[in-house]
Amino acid sequence: MGAWRDARLRLPREDVDLPEDRGCLQWVLGVPLALVYVPAVFFCYAALEMQPDPYDYRVREDIRFMAAISLVFCLLGLLITITPVFRRTMGRWWFAVPFLLATVAYFRAQTV
């Protein structure tokens, strides 16, 4: 009985996170992140493209609102990214997307 147990322990064990299985899983997990980042990019781009007149306070408030919406989407994407399933599967560059977008949106809201 001891030899069978030793032979069983020497067999190569399969890991749950096989490298060949991560490609498909990365695509599946990347879809919700892309669905969150597309509106964030849209609102950030719209806030960047709007140029208010010197005394047009309504447009300035609209720009700040769109930048805030972009920040909310970036925060949502960041919260999705820090879940354990995403951290284990996705690369670290997925953390760069919400930080870059949020930084641009924040500075646009502050410099209007």
Side-chain angles (χ1 to χ4, degrees):
M1 189 69 166
W4 179 79
R5 193 176 110 213
D6 292 338
R8 185 176 53 127
L9 291 176
R10 278 187 266 140
L11 292 175
R13 293 187 169 203
E14 292 186 17
D15 194 9
V16 176
D17 296 327
L18 294 174
E20 62 269 4
D21 292 341
R22 291 184 68 190
C24 182
L25 186 59
Q26 286 177 345
W27 277 99
V28 169
L29 294 177
V31 169
L33 289 176
L35 290 176
V36 170
Y37 293 144
V38 166
V41 168
F42 172 75
F43 284 114
C44 187
Y45 178 75
L48 286 172
E49 283 297 313
M50 292 179 72
Q51 298 297 327
D53 292 330
Y55 299 107
D56 196 0
Y57 296 109
R58 181 178 288 176
V59 175
R60 289 174 192 258
E61 290 303 316
D62 290 343
I63 292 171
R64 287 187 181 116
F65 179 73
M66 285 192 284
I69 294 295
S70 180
L71 281 169
V72 168
F73 277 117
C74 289
L75 180 64
L76 181 64
L78 185 64
L79 288 176
I80 291 172
T81 306
I82 62 173
T83 58
V85 172
F86 281 83
R87 271 191 303 136
R88 225 177 357 171
T89 306
M90 307 302 276
R92 291 184 183 171
W93 67 273
W94 280 94
F95 287 107
V97 175
F99 283 123
L100 290 175
L101 277 174
T103 303
V104 169
Y106 176 77
F107 282 117
R108 178 58 179 165
Q110 296 300 317
T111 58
V112 173

